[in-house]
Amino acid sequence: DTGVSQNPRHKITKRGQNVTFRCDPISEHNRLYWYRQTLGQGPEFLTYFQNEAQLEKSRLLSDRFSAERPKGSFSTLEIQRTEQGDSAMYLCASSFSFVGGYNEQFFGPGTRLTVL
Amino acid sequence: GQQLNQSPQSMFIQEGEDVSMNCTSSSIFNTWLWYKQEPGEGPVLLIALYKAGELTSNGRLTAQFGITRKDSFLNISASIPSDVGIYFCAGPTGNQFYFGTGTSLTVIP
């Protein structure tokens, strides 16, 4: 396993269209996170999964955003009716969580979304 | 949400110089992380700190977990051109991770 992978790496879409991104985490990792990063800023937490359960969502995650992790492996992030303000880098990270320990996150290369 | 402020915002240094940057928080963290991000890529974990006062090294990088648990410091010794990038501090609160504003490092050969 070579790390977290994300597809596509770049996506250009017109305002109002729906887009879907995919993240494949490191295979033994049970936690998966989605972040959004705009130019000149650090990543901002969107949501995370423990196996297939979505356990936490940021208030940044509007109702146009939905994330799934159907079998506890890969995850998808869908944005409906895209707006220009959705233009950003969308980062996925994964970690292995165990009781009493801290889970270090490993990031994928990101999907850069441009909404025209 | 948590506020993590990093300083300086950017640095331009000569190759071979040492670099220091810091990160301060509005509240206490029990873990501090330092990441490096290069253009078009995701952040890569450099150092993780788990205890107040802890000093940890990774090659030419050394990071410290502040005693107050509200700050952390990263030093890079003898900088080289491949140190170029943006350095982020980060810390978890519950299951959410908060990232700092970043310090952009440029190394002039």
Side-chain angles (χ1 to χ4, degrees):
Chain A
D1 192 311
T2 55
V4 179
S5 62
Q6 293 186 246
N7 288 289
R9 292 294 307 273
H10 303 273
K11 178 71 177 177
I12 299 174
T13 191
K14 291 184 179 178
R15 190 178 52 186
Q17 298 292 307
N18 299 342
V19 294
T20 300
F21 311 139
R22 176 177 170 129
C23 171
D24 287 89
I26 294 171
S27 58
E28 63 268 26
H29 284 181
N30 53 2
R31 285 197 175 181
L32 187 147
Y33 300 77
W34 284 100
Y35 291 84
R36 180 175 69 188
Q37 186 177 27
T38 53
L39 201 61
Q41 300 295 320
E44 295 174 293
F45 171 84
L46 292 177
T47 188
Y48 97 94
F49 292 83
Q50 172 95 14
N51 300 312
E52 66 274 13
Q54 189 174 15
L55 295 186
E56 198 148 346
K57 291 194 283 189
S58 161
R59 56 183 169 79
L60 294 174
L61 208 68
S62 79
D63 55 8
R64 295 186 298 106
F65 287 67
S66 61
E68 294 182 343
R69 194 182 183 199
K71 295 182 181 178
S73 57
F74 73 92
S75 175
T76 57
L77 177 68
E78 181 183 16
I79 308 174
Q80 296 183 323
R81 306 180 303 280
T82 52
E83 301 172 356
Q84 287 184 324
D86 297 331
S87 296
M89 174 82 91
Y90 290 85
L91 293 163
C92 173
S94 72
S95 67
F96 181 73
S97 171
F98 56 96
V99 175
Y102 172 71
N103 47 330
E104 297 179 9
Q105 296 183 29
F106 296 86
F107 281 82
T111 294
R112 180 163 295 286
L113 172 66
T114 302
V115 182
L116 301 176
Chain B
Q2 302 286 353
Q3 298 265 352
L4 295 180
N5 296 307
Q6 290 185 243
S7 64
Q9 191 173 10
S10 60
M11 302 180 76
F12 294 81
I13 61 167
Q14 290 288 137
E15 182 177 358
E17 287 185 0
D18 296 345
V19 173
S20 291
M21 61 187 77
N22 69 66
C23 179
T24 58
S25 166
S26 56
S27 56
I28 289 171
F29 280 97
N30 292 318
T31 301
W32 282 97
L33 308 168
W34 284 94
Y35 286 86
K36 178 188 177 188
Q37 187 174 27
E38 297 184 21
E41 300 295 329
V44 174
L45 183 66
L46 300 173
I47 292 180
L49 302 160
Y50 301 110
K51 204 163 63 171
E54 179 181 351
L55 190 71
T56 297
S57 293
N58 177 7
R60 294 177 297 105
L61 276 62
T62 302
Q64 184 160 25
F65 193 142
I67 294 292
T68 66
R69 295 197 284 156
K70 289 187 176 183
D71 56 8
S72 180
F73 307 88
L74 178 69
N75 296 311
I76 305 173
S77 62
S79 58
I80 59 178
S82 61
D83 290 334
V84 164
I86 302 177
Y87 292 79
F88 290 102
C89 61
T93 297
N95 291 307
Q96 292 202 23
F97 282 75
Y98 295 90
F99 281 77
T101 47
T103 292
S104 174
L105 177 64
T106 301
V107 179
I108 303 164

